[in-house]
Amino acid sequence: MMDAKKFFSKELLSWFHIYKRTLPWRQNRDPYRVWVSEIMLQQTRVDTVIPYYERFMARFPTVAALAAAPEEEVLKCWEGLGYYSRARNLQAGAQEVVERYGGVIPDDAEAVAGLKGIGPYTRGAVMSIAFNRAEPAVDGNVMRVLSRYFCLEDDIAKNKTRIQLEKLAVSLIPDGHAGDFNQALMELGALVCTPKSPGCLTCPVMEHCAGRLAGKELVLPIKTKAKPPREERRLAAIVEGSGSQTGKVLVRQRPESGLLARMWELPHVLDGAAGAESKPARGRKRTVRTNRPQEHTGALPEQEVLRMERLGLALAVESRLLARPLAHWMEAEHVFSHIIWKLDIFRCEFGFVLEEEERQRLEHSYEVTARGEMLASEAPSSYTLHRLDGEYPGTEDAGSWVYTGRASGLPDEALTAAAGIAAGTLTEVEAEELQEERQQQLPDGYRWISREDMDELAFPNVFLRILNSYWEQQL
Ligand code: SF4
């Protein structure tokens, strides 16, 4: 075993010195640069990270600059990379470095490990690459390489195995070369000993690779599968402004904590009636997929009308926002590690914000409707379908049908100023004034935005794509 270990360390280091990639974070060994790169590279490909890294370092070149920046700017710079808690933790860690260590990342493994967002892998990477300390940096790539080279069949999903592999990795570090050796291990995993097709014939350690000699390079490492993410159907609204808000849509900021905390999004709700359909999704890749907008060529399917009903009611009950869904716009999907959002997005007309008593009045019918009982028992003829010629760009030639029915339980008063005119209760001027006034009174956390405003607000990928698709359609 000793021979195989010495051989591994020596050959790997020599190979790295010849074949290592030129990457922006390898320009020098500044611990801040190493830290940022390691956080960005978690669960993200090198090619994807490079432009983000360069932008981020140009905008926040030092720990102090990152610590002092508004969170919104940090998230904006991270927008598209996903896993936004990484960005928040990185900034919180930078603030800790400023407060505790005067803005200088200490050459001390315990102190580095105590910073927000730094786990065993990042601690090892920072300490070894920046300070050349003999600390292991064991991630999935490294576990794969070691499992194969030493033909280890322990389950790498288990913490116990990771700890054993960390001990093994430390014992392999050649004296005085911790930084290069750890990077060499990562580089071999990324370029040669890849997950599905290891390039054994070009591998510098092939000669003593026990996994390959045993014919197990494609079987190893052993990893038990994580629980598949749960599928969740959600209904989202593109609520369009009118009058002084023409060309704008309504967005809201997510809560202070939890999933995608403080990021911006379109209003959306869990599709209660579809909730029972929540089921594990198998074989999914971590991607964001946004379909092209859909066009209708006839009467709206009953199911779609019902979903529009549920969206209108749920928005009113959850946010006091009364908006009338007009037509299905598109579908989108976003995969988190534990959940998959299946989104149906509807274009909506802004109504107004309900008083609390009105909201409460709706709650009961919402609960019934969310279970699908009330709506499913009503004949589709309860809802009037009208053709909406030319009112929305892109619908004129599609023969679009839009829903103009009234959701069960919604207040009797006109949902919109336009409906007020139709009912003869408002003149056109009064309707415009009323609508202007209503559009200024939004629920907490909501605001109107134009395309330009998106430059300042951070959106999760899925909403970024939906909104970009929407703005493109408006041109
Ligand atoms: S010989 Fe093959 S399996 Fe072994 S470390 Fe190299 S690439 Fe991986």
Side-chain angles (χ1 to χ4, degrees), residues 161-198:
T161 308
R162 185 182 59 77
I163 291 168
Q164 283 167 353
L165 290 174
E166 280 175 351
K167 285 187 188 147
L168 175 60
V170 173
S171 73
L172 294 167
I173 296 175
D175 282 349
H177 298 285
D180 279 357
F181 178 76
N182 279 352
Q183 289 186 83
L185 251 179
M186 298 169 197
E187 199 83 333
L188 189 76
L191 300 181
V192 181
C193 195
T194 52
K196 294 208 173 115
S197 50

Side-chain angles (χ1 to χ4, degrees), residues 8 144-150 188-189 191-194 197-213 216-218 220:
F8 182 82
R144 181 174 64 251
V145 173
L146 295 180
S147 296
R148 285 174 177 170
Y149 183 80
F150 293 102
L188 189 76
L191 300 181
V192 181
C193 195
T194 52
S197 50
C200 299
L201 295 179
T202 60
C203 178
V205 297
M206 176 183 77
E207 203 178 316
H208 286 280
C209 175
R212 188 194 69 84
L213 292 170
K216 292 187 174 175
E217 68 271 24
L218 292 175
L220 295 172

Side-chain angles (χ1 to χ4, degrees), residues 110-372:
E110 291 309 311
V112 167
L115 297 172
K116 186 99 175 161
I118 293 200
Y121 168 78
T122 311
R123 157 191 158 147
V126 171
M127 291 311 297
S128 61
I129 299 171
F131 301 112
N132 211 18
R133 300 288 171 199
E135 291 276 342
V138 173
D139 66 354
N141 268 336
V142 170
M143 288 201 274
R144 181 174 64 251
V145 173
L146 295 180
S147 296
R148 285 174 177 170
Y149 183 80
F150 293 102
C151 198
L152 305 173
E153 304 198 2
D154 297 314
D155 180 359
I156 63 165
K158 292 194 170 146
N159 203 35
K160 193 174 84 180
T161 308
R162 185 182 59 77
I163 291 168
Q164 283 167 353
L165 290 174
E166 280 175 351
K167 285 187 188 147
L168 175 60
V170 173
S171 73
L172 294 167
I173 296 175
D175 282 349
H177 298 285
D180 279 357
F181 178 76
N182 279 352
Q183 289 186 83
L185 251 179
M186 298 169 197
E187 199 83 333
L188 189 76
L191 300 181
V192 181
C193 195
T194 52
K196 294 208 173 115
S197 50
C200 299
L201 295 179
T202 60
C203 178
V205 297
M206 176 183 77
E207 203 178 316
H208 286 280
C209 175
R212 188 194 69 84
L213 292 170
K216 292 187 174 175
E217 68 271 24
L218 292 175
V219 179
L220 295 172
I222 306 295
K223 186 179 182 187
T224 48
K225 289 224 167 14
K227 223 169 109 189
R230 179 170 50 86
E231 204 172 271
E232 192 173 276
R233 296 207 79 90
R234 303 195 74 87
L235 306 172
I238 292 195
V239 182
E240 298 168 310
S242 60
S244 62
Q245 308 298 346
T246 300
K248 295 187 177 181
V249 299
L250 206 50
V251 295
R252 69 182 182 191
Q253 193 166 26
R254 289 184 63 81
E256 284 292 305
S257 57
L259 190 69
L260 305 171
R262 295 191 290 283
M263 300 200 77
W264 291 83
E265 64 179 6
L266 290 172
H268 61 102
V269 298
L270 181 67
D271 187 357
E277 299 157 18
S278 287
K279 53 184 180 278
R282 299 196 173 271
R284 290 281 178 184
K285 288 177 77 180
R286 169 172 282 278
T287 54
V288 175
R289 183 176 60 79
T290 307
N291 291 346
R292 295 298 306 155
Q294 293 182 345
E295 291 177 338
H296 298 293
T297 52
L300 284 176
E302 185 189 347
Q303 285 308 315
E304 192 163 314
V305 174
L306 296 180
R307 279 185 297 163
M308 294 198 297
E309 291 276 13
R310 294 198 293 267
L311 173 60
L313 270 170
L315 279 178
V317 169
E318 290 178 17
S319 313
R320 295 194 297 121
L321 173 68
L322 200 56
R324 184 169 56 171
L326 296 171
H328 188 260
W329 163 245
M330 68 196 301
E331 291 172 356
E333 180 179 294
H334 187 66
V335 183
F336 299 93
S337 54
H338 61 299
I339 200 164
I340 298 177
W341 279 355
K342 295 272 210 182
L343 288 156
D344 272 299
I345 300 104
F346 294 85
R347 278 178 121 152
C348 298
E349 182 180 32
F350 181 80
F352 55 93
V353 175
L354 293 171
E355 296 297 333
E356 179 54 24
E357 304 94 72
E358 289 173 313
R359 190 201 70 76
Q360 285 173 11
R361 199 154 54 83
L362 277 181
E363 207 156 11
H364 174 67
S365 59
Y366 165 68
E367 280 164 12
V368 177
T369 305
R371 289 199 302 272

